[in-house]
Amino acid sequence: MVASLNYNSATESITVTATAGGASSNVVYTCPNFYDAIVTFLHISNGAASTDNVSIQWYHKEADAYYTIVNNKSIAGQDVYNMITGDRLYLHAGDKITAFNGGGSNLGVTVSVEEHYNPNRT
């Protein structure tokens, strides 16, 4: 049996303004109802001249809990950091990728995902 290659692609970008994690953090991406998502690209950029720090969290809807993926990662001014290289993150309906930093406003986070329809996810 050949696996289905049918999926939606989605890319979301935000400028990080939140200074606290959990429910106070900025939502980068939310997996839609009836879908599973595979995070294939997670990119952080710093457009400022000075170094800034960023934290990335995964909100797991089923557990109603936030888990740290990247904790206070230092990104040099005018530099980028690619968190996903060969690894993948798997999300279910309602799961989120969120971000926050130490107060600067020049950090950007971009995520790309494959969204796979799953009628068992609500």
Side-chain angles (χ1 to χ4, degrees), residues 12-120:
E12 301 289 339
S13 291
I14 65 159
T15 298
V16 180
T17 58
T19 58
S24 298
S25 59
N26 295 125
V27 175
V28 181
Y29 171 79
T30 302
C31 186
N33 288 338
F34 303 109
Y35 282 86
D36 293 321
I38 302 170
V39 179
T40 58
F41 181 73
L42 183 54
H43 176 86
I44 304 162
S45 61
N46 183 355
S50 60
T51 298
D52 205 347
N53 296 338
V54 67
S55 295
I56 306 288
Q57 294 180 317
W58 160 51
Y59 171 74
H60 187 213
K61 182 181 178 185
E62 189 173 302
D64 191 24
Y66 288 84
Y67 300 98
T68 301
I69 298 171
V70 173
N71 189 28
N72 208 30
K73 172 70 177 164
S74 178
I75 310 291
Q78 305 296 318
D79 203 359
V80 298
Y81 176 67
N82 288 314
M83 200 203 98
I84 301 288
T85 53
D87 300 324
R88 299 290 183 256
L89 293 173
Y90 297 90
L91 307 176
H92 301 297
D95 288 357
K96 301 175 186 179
I97 300 296
T98 68
F100 66 98
N101 69 11
S105 61
N106 292 299
L107 291 174
V109 177
T110 300
V111 62
S112 290
V113 301
E114 294 177 4
E115 295 175 334
H116 297 267
Y117 179 70
N118 183 345
N120 298 317

